[in-house]
Each structure stands twice: as structure tokens, then as C-alpha cells.
Amino acid sequence: MTDTLDTGAGDTGAGDGGAGDGGHHRFDGTSSRRLLARLRDIMAGSGSGQERLDKIVTLIAAEMKADVCSCYIMRAGEVLELFSTEGLNKTAVHNTRLRVGEGIVGYIAGHARPVAMDNAPSHPSFAYRPETGEDPFQSLAGVPILRGSKVRGVLVIQHKDRRRYVEEEVETLQTIAMVVAELVAQSELVNPVEVTTTGDPVLLPARLSGTAMSAGLAIGLAVIHRPQLTVRQMVAEDADAELERFNAALSTMHSAIDDLLEAASLAGLSEPRDILETYRMFAEDRGWLSRIREAIRVGLTAEAAVQQVQNDTRARMSHLTDPYIRERLMDLEDLTNRLLQHLAGKTNGADAGTLPDDMILVARSMGPAELLDYDRSRLRGLLLEEGSPASHVCIVARALNIPVVQAADAMNRIEPLDQLIVDGDHGQVFIRPAEDIQMTFAEAVALQHRKEQMYAEIRKFPSVTRDGVPISIQLNCGLLIDLPHLTASGAEGVGLYRTEIPFMVRASYPDVKAQTDLYSRIMDEVGDRPVIFRTLDVGGDKMLPYMTGGEEENPALGWRAVRIGLDHPSLLRQQLRALLLAAAGRPLSVMFPMIAEVAEFVAARRLLDLELKRLAVQGIAPPSGLRVGTMLEVPSLLWQLPALLPRLDFLSVGSNDLTQYLFAADRGNPRTSTRYDPLSPSMLCVLRRLVDECARHKVSLSICGEMAGRPLDAMALIGVGFRTLSMSPPSVGPVKTMLRSMDVGALRQYMSGLYTGADHSLRDKLRSFAKDHGVII
């Protein structure tokens, strides 16, 4: 969608040219094919890299009727140097330099995203360089020159008049940027040694701090996973032949995925098989395939078309922080690499004969199928530069009991066969560790195996505290592939099902039938156990690709969740209709997110009542039991509890948002995330009041944020009075072990004297209580 390219005042929607030739010039597929054909002639011709780059920028300016075309190349120290231009002062070439982040060119390099705007001087990053003579140019479109995951430069066109750039122009610039990236890679412009990032001396021990993605400890030798092939030939001579090659490679890839599915089934791996089935559906995504085929028809080779579509997808989605969107992007990265492998005829996967017996896989990113290419009997751990705990590869890794850590710069710091220790409990990696550290972690690995055996045994026992208080443990889910965890973990139900995921991975809004089918499958999988469906929670940095909406200064407090549903009631009504139809006479629980006042809940409930009347008119049976509730994330609701609770069947605390809103501190900002603690007296007082009010109104209360899944925090929640905790599957074993070792009465008595204190955090005091009373945390 073109709106994702706009980072300033400009509008990148379709529009007329009007620059350069003084007329109305519309750039289309024919123009793009002509430009690419001439580009092929330049690349096949003679001349140095600089001479060919000069010809390329001259060609772009002429074909795209641009007043300026410039190419900046990355030099050492993250400096962008003007290497070639048509339209700016020639004396500026090799003299004008911009730091990454400086000017619009530096902004493009820093964010690795295209920019297209009709009023470039209004952009907050605009930087005027008088030596270039660029004063009169109003409009600008620029794209990063990407080689793998790294920015190697920026390619820019400019026009004197204010002008809207069409999507085909930006996509064509991205294709040309791939060609320029090859010139850089071939050392024809800049020596690659100059821009190589140097890490610690190779032979010295080192430690990387990162994010824990899958718990556990692992010791082994580094195996570097580099699946991406270099695309050498960009422009095709015969589009029909390229389409035939692409279709053949696609068919071969589908067959290979089917073989992985069969192998997972034979090995009894139900969860990885479910993920591979979802992955297989991604491989058949019509939107993805049609964009690749269209790029081939325009004049690209099959390999270049696959890579361009992925580069475009990465640029559109890379700024989003939602873990499920990132997971979708990782799957597409995996598919792109796999498809390129099949186009190149390289389909053997990992060569087991050259791999060590105890290996730690190191990768920039990875998809689930790529992980399963490796011998599980040898794989001990996984280290990623990019990823999230909700990614498919991490879900598969957890199912296989493989520790995972995400840490930046891992590929530059680690050499093949380096000794590694992956600490998935604390998010750290030791590179070439000293012998005493190796011995310490070897003992910890042995202890970990004993804990895993204990967690496996405890699944059989009820979730009851030592003094007989029952605690309901439920799961947070967002994909069908999450549901097998219900049985495996021993959880009692799904306390939070995030319905927004199917909306995010589609190119258009799913209709009622598609939603009904999905919700029905979820209910079938869950069976008699309870499941709470949270209505669409998108917006902010999780904007749907087919919904218009500009960037927001503070998306966490912006147009999101139920606010979108109430502003577009037809969308919310369709989702509610699908949920009611999917229930088909079964019990149904619906929860509205981001409710800030009772009036919002009343308005949302009114839409649900309208859909119930619609069912009655059509003679369709309603759910056998309907429970309606809300998330409590916004503190304003705390002062409306007497008016809210009589209208609810249940209330669920979203502790992540509630905490950051209560303390006015962004939990994603490292400067503020440590300034508060959920186990502070103020937060626990809020939660205790909720427990008391819900008990008074006989409203079920649960908590589904991250607090519920951390053993010490969960202990405090039980002490406050919570009896239903919803968490991610890996947290079930540790939390259940903790609660079965605690005495609620003793804890409540101890905590009664803590609420009125002036402490920043009660964490240390609660940890001391646990130690003194034999609570396992």
C-alpha cells in the first residue's frame, strides 16, 4: 500500500507528473519495462563501475522525466557519499557527504525504508547542502540500496515542481537499487573491507546480551546459517521463460514442504506439523505469488522478482513492532530464501556430514522449515539477530526444547565452530567462554534437565496451593498452532485469544464466512474447555494494511482496538456476527479491549445485541451461554467500577498496558522501562481494589498480561487475591510448580503490611518471603 511509503507531507498515491517536460507524465508498467531493458544493456556493456553508475543515473533521470537522479554510497563510519548525479552540480560528486540519519537521504538509510513526498523541504530531516545546487527541487522519491539486510546506499530522484509519485516509480527505483547493490558488492565502487563492521578480536572470549526467546541452556559449536543466495542477473530477456522457471521452482518447493510435513507426522511432532501447515498456506498466498509474477512480466528475472517483492514487503512491515507481524515477515523471508534456493537448483538443505554433533545455530533470521532442515539430534541451541518469542521458528524451537536467544550483531561477532553457551533463561550468549564458565554452565544444564522432568510430572497434578486454594491456569493464544499447548501444558482453557492475527496477514479484510470458519475451528480444537475471544485489537503500530491511517505520534494512546471498532461499527459487527455463528449453540465468551469508559462498553455491547437480534430474525440458535466482558488496561475505568461491573460477566486485567499507563512510562522505552515495577505498592493496591470490587459484584476476574507468567509476580497476584492466571505456554510449568509450593494464608498475612509502604518495589521483600517459606520460584 502506498501510504506506508509516506513519511512527510507528501502523498504517494497515484497522481500526474508535471515535472521535467512540463506536461502530465504517468509512469506505468510499459515505462518500467523499457527502463529495465535499457538498464540490462548498460550492465552488459563495458566500462568501470563508476562509468556504469553514471550511465544508470542518467538513464533514470531521462526515463522517469526527473530533474535530478542521484546515487549515494555508504562509506566507512556510516557516511553516505554522493557518487553520481544527473541534475545536481557535478563538483558535488565525491565531495558531498551525509551521516546516516542526516537529511532525507540519511533518514532513508537509517530506516531502510522508501520515502516519496511532494514537499521535501517540509520533512523534519531535510538538510540543505548548497554545494549540490538543489534549491529549486520540491519533490523527492528515494529508496535504500540494500544488500542482504544492510543498507549500502540510497538512490534518489527529484522534481522541481510539487509532484505525487506513483507506486510503479518507487518499485522501479527499488529494482534498480538492487542492481546498484551488485556494483557495490563486486568491489567496483567501494572496497567492501572499508565498510565491514569489526567486532571483538576473534580469539578473545566475549558475551552478547539479548532477549530470551525460548528458555533453557545449551553448549555447543557455532554453525552459521546463511541461506540467502545472491541474485546476479536482474533483467530478463524472455518473460515467458522466467515465468515457466518460477512455476517449476514453486511446484518443487511445495513438494519439499509436503515432505517436511510428512516427516513431522511420522516423528509424532504435532505442533511443528501444525506450524508447517500454516507455513504451507503462506507458500500458496495468492497476493504474494501474483506480485512476483507481475514483477516477472515487467521484465525481471524470476530470482530478481522474488527478491524485489520481499524487499518491498520488508520495507513496508519492518517499522512495525507487533510480534505477530514480525513473525509473518520472518515466514516470508524464509519462503523467499527457500524459493531462491529452488530456482538455483540447490535443494539439499543442511549438509549433516559437515556439522558438529553439538551445534548452536547462528542466523540473522530463520523460518520454521529452515530450522527443521537441521538434524534435531545434534541441534542444541539457536541464536538469532532478528525475531520475537511469537515467531514460528521460536514456537517450533520451544516444542523441540531448544533454547533461543535474540541478540544484535551476532553474525559479526561469531566465527564458524566457535564454542558458544546460549542462556535462554537470561537472554545472553557466551562466545569462546573460559573453561571455568563452561564447567559452571555444564552443571546448570544438568540441573535444567532435572527441572524439565519435574515440570513434566507436575502437569498431572491439580493447580492447588499447599493450603488447598485452587488456581485456574489458562493460556494466551493467537494462532491455531498455539492450541495444542492446551493439552501439553495441562492448562484449563484459553484466557485470551487474540483475534487480530488473521486480519494482519491478509491483503484484505476477511469476510464473515472466513472469520466464522476460523472461530469454529478454534472452538473445535478447544472442545469443552473455555476460550475468551478478544475482539479486534489493532491500530497504532499494528495498523492493518488495507486500512487508511497516518502515523501517530503516540500510537499506544492513539486510534486502536475498540476505538476503531466503534468508529467503524460495520467491521466490529461483522466480527461479532462471525463469533455468534461459529458458536453454533455452544458457549461463547467475548471481550472488548482498550475500554476507557463505561459508555464505550455500552456502545460495544449494543452492537453485540444487534447481532443477537439478527440471529433471532434469521431463526439461528444463539450461543448456549453468552458471557461478555472487557479488558482493564486504561486506568480511567478504575473510577467507574461501580457503574461498569454490574454490566459485566467477567473482567480481565491487561497488566502490560495498565502498568505503563498507570506510571505514564513507555514499557518499550529502555530509558523508562526500569523506572517502575509492577510489584510496587501502588500497582498492587490497584489490583487489590479490583479483586475486592469484583468479588462484591460477583464478577469473574483474571489477569492475562506478562505478570501472570512470572513465578514471583504470579505469587504476588495470588496473594492479592487473583484466582485465574492466563499466560504463555512455557510459563505454565514454573508457575504451577510455584503455586503448589506456597501457602496463600501466610502470604496474604505477610502482604497486608506492605501495601501502604513507600517502597519503589516490593520484589526483594516478596523474594525473601518465598525463600523463607520454601516457595519455588
Side-chain angles (χ1 to χ4, degrees):
M1 303 295 292
T2 55
D3 60 329
T4 61
L5 302 175
D6 186 19
T7 59
D11 180 356
T12 62
D16 292 324
D21 60 356
H24 294 286
H25 170 69
R26 179 175 291 279
F27 195 88
D28 54 19
T30 302
S31 305
S32 179
R33 284 190 290 273
R34 183 175 65 246
L35 193 158
L36 289 175
R38 295 187 63 185
L39 178 65
R40 181 184 62 223
D41 295 338
I42 292 174
M43 293 300 295
S46 59
S48 66
Q50 180 69 59
E51 290 169 338
R52 281 186 282 173
L53 182 61
D54 292 340
K55 291 178 181 178
I56 288 172
V57 298
T58 302
L59 172 65
I60 296 170
E63 289 292 329
M64 303 186 77
K65 301 295 189 291
D67 297 304
V68 172
C69 178
S70 303
C71 182
Y72 296 78
I73 302 298
M74 188 76 75
R75 303 301 300 260
E78 292 197 323
V79 172
L80 294 154
E81 179 180 309
L82 178 62
F83 253 66
S84 184
T85 187
E86 177 68 26
L88 298 182
N89 292 338
K90 296 294 185 181
T91 56
V93 173
H94 299 304
N95 289 317
T96 295
R97 293 190 169 199
L98 295 163
R99 296 185 304 276
V100 171
E102 180 184 7
I104 301 178
V105 170
Y107 177 94
I108 294 169
H111 291 76
R113 293 177 59 198
V115 167
M117 56 191 313
D118 63 2
N119 187 8
S122 71
H123 193 282
S125 295
F126 179 79
Y128 173 63
R129 305 304 292 266
E131 72 272 15
T132 65
E134 63 178 345
D135 306 41
F137 304 113
Q138 290 292 315
S139 306
L140 178 148
V143 300
I145 298 170
L146 298 169
R147 171 77 175 177
S149 63
K150 297 182 179 179
V151 176
R152 300 301 191 188
V154 175
L155 186 62
V156 174
I157 60 172
Q158 293 173 269
H159 288 82
K160 292 179 180 178
D161 299 332
R162 294 190 63 163
R163 178 185 191 282
R164 295 179 178 180
Y165 294 97
V166 298
E167 189 169 2
E168 287 85 350
E169 289 171 308
V170 177
E171 290 179 347
T172 299
L173 284 176
Q174 289 177 300
T175 302
I176 298 168
M178 293 171 62
V179 177
V180 178
E182 291 308 310
L183 284 178
V184 178
Q186 293 166 15
S187 307
E188 296 196 44
L189 298 173
V190 176
N191 187 332
V193 175
E194 179 184 326
V195 291
T196 298
T197 302
T198 56
D200 292 342
V202 171
L203 297 178
L204 294 181
R207 184 175 72 88
L208 290 178
S209 294
T211 303
M213 313 276 273
S214 176
L217 299 171
I219 301 175
L221 301 180
V223 172
I224 310 299
H225 177 74
R226 290 192 176 98
Q228 190 165 357
L229 296 177
T230 300
V231 179
R232 296 293 183 188
Q233 187 175 351
M234 301 292 169
V235 185
E237 298 184 3
D238 186 343
D240 291 336
E242 292 301 309
L243 280 170
E244 188 174 335
R245 287 182 60 236
F246 171 73
N247 291 331
L250 183 66
S251 176
T252 305
M253 183 182 76
H254 285 166
S255 297
I257 295 172
D258 289 339
D259 291 342
L260 280 175
L261 275 165
E262 184 177 353
S265 296
L266 291 174
L269 300 173
S270 60
E271 185 174 34
R273 189 184 191 287
D274 292 337
I275 290 175
L276 286 173
E277 285 178 342
T278 305
Y279 181 81
R280 179 68 156 83
M281 287 191 291
F282 290 163
E284 295 173 332
D285 183 86
R286 293 181 182 178
W288 181 61
L289 297 177
S290 65
R291 281 185 291 156
I292 294 174
R293 291 189 174 105
E294 179 58 30
I296 293 174
R297 293 187 187 98
V298 167
L300 296 183
T301 62
E303 290 88 346
V306 170
Q307 191 60 63
Q308 177 186 294
V309 169
Q310 184 56 25
N311 287 347
D312 182 55
T313 302
R314 187 189 300 122
R316 295 174 192 278
M317 299 173 69
S318 61
H319 68 290
L320 302 176
T321 59
D322 184 270
Y324 285 96
I325 296 181
R326 302 292 299 177
E327 171 261 317
R328 167 68 168 171
L329 181 58
M330 292 303 172
D331 280 339
L332 289 175
E333 293 271 12
D334 187 2
L335 283 171
T336 295
N337 294 333
R338 188 166 289 266
L339 190 47
L340 288 173
Q341 296 276 353
H342 284 279
L343 281 167
K346 299 179 180 180
T347 60
N348 293 330
D351 184 2
T354 63
L355 299 178
D357 288 336
D358 296 303
M359 62 178 176
I360 306 292
L361 207 54
V362 183
R364 183 181 70 82
S365 63
M366 177 175 277
E370 287 179 300
L371 181 66
L372 291 173
D373 280 337
Y374 289 86
D375 184 354
R376 294 198 320 279
S377 66
R378 302 183 183 194
L379 186 55
R380 302 289 177 259
L382 177 61
L383 174 58
L384 299 171
E385 285 192 338
E386 299 177 3
S388 75
S391 68
H392 280 166
V393 70
C394 287
I395 294 172
V396 171
R398 284 194 291 271
L400 299 176
N401 204 25
I402 297 172
V404 184
V405 169
Q406 180 266 323
D409 206 34
M411 299 284 277
N412 289 325
R413 303 285 294 275
I414 297 171
E415 295 294 320
L417 301 182
D418 272 347
Q419 182 82 29
L420 299 180
I421 295 174
V422 174
D423 182 358
D425 295 326
H426 302 96
Q428 56 184 349
V429 177
F430 294 86
I431 307 169
R432 301 173 292 276
E435 186 174 349
D436 57 338
I437 293 179
Q438 291 186 47
M439 292 178 60
T440 299
F441 273 91
E443 294 173 1
V445 169
L447 176 61
Q448 172 187 281
H449 290 323
R450 292 195 293 272
K451 277 188 176 180
E452 288 167 358
Q453 292 174 352
M454 178 178 66
Y455 294 153
E457 285 295 318
I458 207 166
R459 293 173 187 166
K460 307 172 187 176
F461 299 103
S463 300
V464 179
T465 64
R466 206 166 59 197
D467 53 342
V469 178
I471 306 294
S472 176
I473 293 183
Q474 302 189 359
L475 295 188
N476 298 334
C477 300
L479 293 165
L480 277 168
I481 53 177
D482 294 333
L483 297 179
H485 285 299
L486 263 178
T487 301
S489 66
E492 296 179 16
V494 177
L496 168 65
Y497 197 96
R498 305 177 180 96
T499 61
E500 59 268 15
I501 313 310
F503 292 80
M504 291 177 180
V505 300
R506 287 174 173 261
S508 60
Y509 188 87
D511 59 22
V512 173
K513 183 181 184 305
Q515 292 185 58
T516 302
D517 290 344
L518 173 63
Y519 304 145
S520 181
R521 288 183 63 191
I522 294 167
M523 293 181 187
D524 291 341
E525 288 281 339
V526 172
D528 295 333
R529 289 166 291 198
V531 54
I532 295 176
F533 290 94
R534 184 179 69 185
T535 60
L536 197 60
D537 187 3
V538 294
D541 69 341
K542 295 190 293 182
M543 189 61 67
L544 300 177
Y546 39 85
M547 289 184 67
T548 58
E551 293 185 3
E552 295 185 296
E553 191 169 324
N554 194 336
L557 300 178
W559 193 56
R560 52 171 290 204
V562 79
R563 297 170 181 177
I564 294 177
L566 294 178
D567 285 350
H568 293 284
S570 62
L571 299 183
L572 183 52
R573 286 191 64 174
Q574 286 182 42
Q575 184 178 31
L576 295 171
R577 187 181 311 155
L579 286 165
L580 292 168
L581 290 171
R586 293 176 287 192
L588 175 65
S589 296
V590 177
M591 178 165 63
F592 297 109
M594 199 67 182
I595 294 290
E597 58 180 358
V598 175
E600 285 183 336
F601 176 78
V602 170
R605 177 62 199 248
R606 186 181 300 119
L607 297 180
L608 178 58
D609 290 338
L610 288 173
E611 289 303 320
L612 284 168
K613 291 178 181 177
R614 181 190 180 100
L615 279 188
V617 170
Q618 295 177 345
I620 300 174
S624 59
L626 178 62
R627 300 174 70 243
V628 184
T630 182
M631 297 276 288
L632 197 147
E633 303 155 283
V634 185
S636 58
L637 268 188
L638 294 169
W639 283 268
Q640 284 197 295
L641 290 176
L644 175 69
L645 293 176
R647 293 173 164 84
L648 299 180
D649 297 303
F650 63 90
L651 182 71
S652 185
V653 177
S655 63
N656 300 352
D657 276 339
L658 178 60
T659 307
Q660 72 167 344
Y661 296 153
L662 194 66
F663 289 96
D666 181 3
R667 60 190 169 98
N669 184 339
R671 293 184 177 181
T672 60
S673 61
T674 58
R675 296 194 65 84
Y676 65 87
D677 190 327
L679 296 185
S680 66
S682 54
M683 182 65 174
L684 293 181
C685 281
V686 166
L687 295 176
R688 185 174 66 163
R689 184 189 170 208
L690 276 174
V691 169
D692 293 342
E693 291 291 332
C694 287
R696 185 176 298 115
H697 289 85
K698 295 182 172 54
V699 171
S700 300
L701 176 65
S702 65
I703 186 165
C704 58
E706 291 179 4
M707 283 183 73
R710 296 190 289 257
L712 183 65
D713 296 43
M715 182 191 80
L717 290 170
I718 294 171
V720 166
F722 280 83
R723 297 296 177 261
T724 301
L725 310 176
S726 191
M727 63 199 69
S728 61
S731 299
V732 174
V735 169
K736 194 171 184 178
T737 300
M738 175 278 298
L739 71 88
R740 286 182 56 83
S741 66
M742 69 174 287
D743 185 304
V744 177
L747 178 61
R748 286 181 67 87
Q749 183 177 359
Y750 174 75
M751 291 182 66
S752 64
L754 300 180
Y755 295 106
T756 57
D759 306 73
H760 166 69
S761 170
L762 299 174
R763 189 169 297 275
D764 288 342
K765 291 181 178 179
L766 289 166
R767 187 177 286 112
S768 296
F769 172 89
K771 182 178 180 181
D772 293 343
H773 291 76
V775 182
I776 302 172
I777 57 173

